[in-house]
Amino acid sequence: MTTDTPETLGRLPNLRILWTFIRPHRRLFRFGLLLGLLVTASSLATPLVTKRLLDSFGVPGATKSAIVLLVSLLVVGVIVGMAQRLLLGTMAERVVLEARSSMVRRFFGATIPAVTARPAGEMLTRVTSDTVLLREASSWALVEIVNGSIAIVGVIVLMATLDLPLLGTAVLGIALIGLAAGVLMPKVARAQRDAQEAMGRLGGILEGALRAVRTVKASRAEDRSSERVIDEARTSAMFGIRAVRLEAWAWTITGSGIQLTIIAVLGVGAYRVSSGALAVSSLVAFLLYAFQLVGPVAQLTLYVSQLQRGIAAASRIREIQVMDLEAAAPVAVTELPRSITDAPAALSLRRVTAGYGEESAAVNGIDMEIAARGHTAVVGPSGAGKTTLFSLFLRFLEPRNGELALAGVPYPQLSHDQIRARIGYVEQATPTLPGTIADNLRLTHPDATDAELWAALGRVRLSEKIEQLPAGLSTELRDSAVSGGERQRIALARAIVRPPDILLLDEATAQVDGITEAAIHDAIRELSVHGAVVTIAHRLSTVIDADTIFVLERGRVRSRGTHRELLDSDTLYRDLVEALRIAV
């Protein structure tokens, strides 16, 4: 069994990429194809039965049996056609569900660099609009192309049994139509693919702008932001219009070509009837077959276009499905101690170098130990590697060199769940998820009691505010319900519903007032008595009372010590303190 990777993906034939989505349902697909062939067979038999009906005039009983056979073919075609639609429609919805499910699971199972490499809005369009195109291609388009091709071949074979000169006339017309479609359809496919890519970019830009709508309005940038989104909409529309024009030409050429072919058949047929070389019933049957060509040839134009859109969508979906996943857990994981407070160090780094993609290292040969108890602060100018350090602690990022250890156990011997079960984390952006306040607080511990939730809110001095809300813990988290600072405190409370062994805080006091800041400092002091608290600080007031402060510069530990020691020994630390006017 082979595994698709980004490298092998480019070598896969386009149709094979689409087939990978249909393959789990191939039995249903084949059965749907068989039902389609039955419908095609019934329609192919109808002109022959019509010829028999015309030839049977005056023959006792023959006319009645021919009519019964015609009605029977009609009933069979209707019933089988309905069954085929139900079966293929159901299969298509299952294909879409599995594609969406696999993408969503991939999003949350992929590495942080892989997920953040694309705008969220672009990935959203792949889950929504691209899967709709996949549904059309995976059901009707592929089946109808096969059925239509078989119908055309069947019609031509049966035409051959009726009259070869007329067949030559029809085949010449079909060949010219096919040649024109073969020139136009690849151009249609390229235009549709470009339109889909533009829609993905539109989704990414729109999602980012809506997320920062307050900043957009405050900057009086509504028109400019709108234009950026509309520019992508125009680009998508431009390619869409190009595809529509090419499709219109394809339809026009197909339709007019078929009509001209039928007129030519009628003219040649009338001549052969008048000369006695062809029976009238054979001409009628041949014309019925000629009219039957209209449907398959026109449908091929339509369904080939749908198939091309579906193939482009399948390729975009497959790009998500091959995103790099986080490393699998080792076959034999090492058990961590029940509590790590007695370990020599909660976290340790030995000569660790790490970075993002092909960029230069964000941290370079760094050595660090985080005490199992107490408050450790990490400070430094922007770009010093502070956030990268937290990403390494949480195993969002794997080091290029060196070794990380949790309670003395190297990270490669632990699973991601083991590491993250011991570490609480509050991002600088302090995001909250859709849902209620209780849903957000229970994100890490879904079995937490209401008493535990209220206790966590109390630690960040937010319980009184939540109690005053009409729905309390059941309040939906919207901007109108809580302020930015309250949202930040909810994120902190979420991390300490059950205090972790190690708590990572990325500037926990960035958006709070002075009283609440003091409350958070009290919570840090309380938590640091029983475990490790590590803070990244841009406001040094957060770390003045830290037991240990690490000063980072250009991805390396420049110095370490207490606030007083660093004021005396480190010029960079003194500059940071003076720049922020922190009282000594």
Side-chain angles (χ1 to χ4, degrees):
M1 179 177 178
T2 59
T3 301
D4 292 337
T5 65
E7 291 74 26
T8 62
L9 182 62
R11 298 195 295 269
L12 286 173
N14 288 339
L15 200 56
R16 184 180 166 190
I17 296 175
L18 179 62
W19 178 249
T20 60
F21 293 92
I22 303 173
R23 186 166 50 208
H25 310 278
R26 55 186 176 276
R27 290 184 180 177
L28 283 178
F29 180 80
R30 288 167 182 162
F31 189 49
L33 186 60
L34 177 61
L35 293 178
L37 294 177
L38 290 176
V39 174
T40 301
S42 67
S43 64
L44 290 176
T46 299
L48 289 179
V49 177
T50 303
K51 180 179 183 303
R52 175 183 168 185
L53 175 64
L54 294 175
D55 290 337
S56 66
F57 286 153
V59 179
T63 300
K64 181 179 179 180
S65 63
I67 292 175
V68 170
L69 186 53
L70 280 175
V71 173
S72 299
L73 289 172
L74 173 63
V75 172
V76 169
V78 169
I79 294 175
V80 174
M82 181 177 178
Q84 183 197 32
R85 287 181 178 277
L86 290 172
L87 185 144
L88 291 179
T90 302
M91 186 202 76
E93 291 299 333
R94 291 177 181 173
V95 168
V96 168
L97 175 60
E98 290 178 2
R100 286 173 174 166
S101 300
S102 66
M103 279 192 288
V104 170
R105 291 193 181 98
R106 200 79 182 194
F107 287 153
F108 291 105
T111 62
I112 293 295
V115 174
T116 55
R118 296 179 174 89
E122 180 187 340
M123 293 193 287
L124 179 63
T125 61
R126 302 197 187 201
V127 176
T128 53
S129 60
D130 282 354
T131 50
V132 173
L133 297 175
L134 177 65
R135 175 178 59 199
E136 295 175 356
S138 63
S139 56
W140 286 110
L142 205 52
V143 169
E144 290 301 327
I145 286 172
V146 175
N147 286 348
S149 301
I150 292 174
I152 291 173
V153 172
V155 166
I156 291 173
V157 170
L158 292 171
M159 282 178 167
T161 65
L162 294 172
D163 191 73
L164 289 177
L166 287 182
L167 173 63
T169 304
V171 168
L172 178 61
I174 294 171
L176 294 175
I177 294 169
L179 179 63
V183 171
L184 291 174
M185 296 316 293
K187 296 180 180 179
V188 173
R190 285 194 296 273
Q192 290 168 340
R193 184 179 62 251
D194 292 338
Q196 286 174 245
E197 290 175 355
M199 282 299 296
R201 293 192 298 271
L202 183 153
I205 296 171
L206 179 59
E207 186 270 340
L210 290 178
R211 189 158 27 86
V213 67
R214 287 180 174 81
T215 301
V216 170
K217 286 183 173 294
S219 303
R220 294 166 292 126
E222 299 97 320
D223 291 340
R224 281 174 285 148
S225 298
S226 299
E227 279 303 311
R228 281 194 67 199
V229 177
I230 294 170
D231 280 345
E232 291 297 343
R234 289 194 187 103
T235 301
S236 178
M238 179 186 70
F239 288 121
I241 291 171
R242 182 181 299 175
V244 167
R245 288 174 178 170
L246 291 169
E247 285 180 339
W249 274 106
W251 276 95
T252 301
I253 292 171
T254 300
S256 58
I258 290 172
Q259 297 300 323
L260 288 173
T261 300
I262 290 175
I263 291 172
V265 167
L266 183 59
V268 174
Y271 170 77
R272 288 182 61 75
V273 168
S274 64
S275 65
L278 183 68
V280 173
S281 62
S282 295
L283 176 60
V284 171
F286 197 97
L287 286 173
L288 288 176
Y289 279 125
F291 283 119
Q292 279 199 9
L293 279 177
V294 175
V297 173
Q299 285 176 351
L300 280 179
T301 304
L302 170 65
Y303 287 120
V304 165
S305 177
Q306 285 187 359
L307 182 66
Q308 290 171 329
R309 284 195 294 265
I311 288 173
S315 299
R316 284 165 51 81
I317 292 170
R318 182 61 77 200
E319 289 175 5
I320 299 299
Q321 292 180 328
V322 297
M323 287 169 62
D324 292 335
L325 289 174
E326 291 186 320
V331 176
V333 296
T334 301
E335 290 296 326
L336 287 167
R338 191 175 189 87
S339 173
I340 66 173
T341 54
D342 297 327
L347 293 163
S348 59
L349 293 82
R350 295 286 180 269
R351 308 298 299 169
V352 170
T353 298
Y356 303 91
E358 300 299 324
E359 300 174 8
S360 59
V363 296
N364 194 354
I366 199 168
D367 290 299
M368 181 181 289
E369 281 197 354
I370 306 298
R373 296 174 189 263
H375 178 197
T376 301
V378 181
V379 300
S382 178
K386 303 183 295 295
T387 300
T388 301
L389 200 61
F390 272 26
S391 294
L392 287 166
F393 289 159
L394 289 157
R395 210 172 182 183
F396 294 158
L397 184 66
E398 297 288 346
R400 297 176 186 171
N401 297 299
E403 181 182 90
L404 284 87
L406 173 62
V409 181
Y411 269 33
Q413 298 176 21
L414 301 169
S415 68
H416 289 79
D417 280 350
Q418 282 179 296
I419 295 167
R420 293 167 189 170
R422 300 301 182 97
I423 301 177
Y425 176 49
V426 181
E427 297 181 58
Q428 184 176 4
T430 59
T432 51
L433 278 69
T436 65
I437 293 174
D439 292 337
N440 272 266
L441 293 175
R442 289 193 173 100
L443 185 63
T444 303
H445 301 288
D447 59 337
T449 64
D450 284 356
E452 289 177 303
L453 304 189
W454 286 114
L457 291 170
R459 289 192 184 100
V460 297
R461 298 190 183 180
L462 200 56
S463 56
E464 184 176 344
K465 162 70 177 181
I466 304 303
E467 285 173 347
Q468 292 174 355
L469 296 174
L473 290 172
S474 299
T475 301
E476 290 287 332
L477 263 181
R478 296 184 296 270
D479 290 347
S480 58
V482 295
S483 67
E486 289 164 346
R487 193 178 294 270
Q488 190 168 22
R489 280 182 279 166
I490 288 173
L492 176 57
R494 178 174 61 203
I496 60 175
V497 166
R498 291 177 186 167
D501 291 334
I502 305 166
L503 177 62
L504 306 181
L505 302 175
D506 191 348
E507 191 47 85
T509 58
Q511 299 181 46
V512 295
D513 56 63
I515 295 175
T516 307
E517 182 176 354
I520 292 176
H521 288 166
D522 289 342
I524 290 174
R525 279 192 291 270
E526 177 188 344
L527 293 165
S528 64
V529 172
H530 306 287
V533 178
V534 187
T535 57
I536 288 177
H538 304 108
R539 292 172 58 179
L540 295 182
S541 59
T542 307
V543 299
I544 286 176
D545 296 330
D547 299 296
T548 304
I549 302 172
F550 286 92
V551 181
L552 265 61
E553 184 182 28
R554 297 178 182 176
R556 297 179 182 274
V557 175
R558 172 189 172 98
S559 58
R560 56 170 294 177
T562 64
H563 174 64
R564 173 58 63 183
E565 291 169 346
L566 291 171
L567 277 176
D568 294 337
S569 63
D570 191 288
T571 56
L572 174 60
Y573 187 78
R574 280 200 303 272
D575 291 343
L576 290 170
V577 171
E578 291 171 3
L580 295 171
R581 298 177 184 177
I582 301 298
V584 179

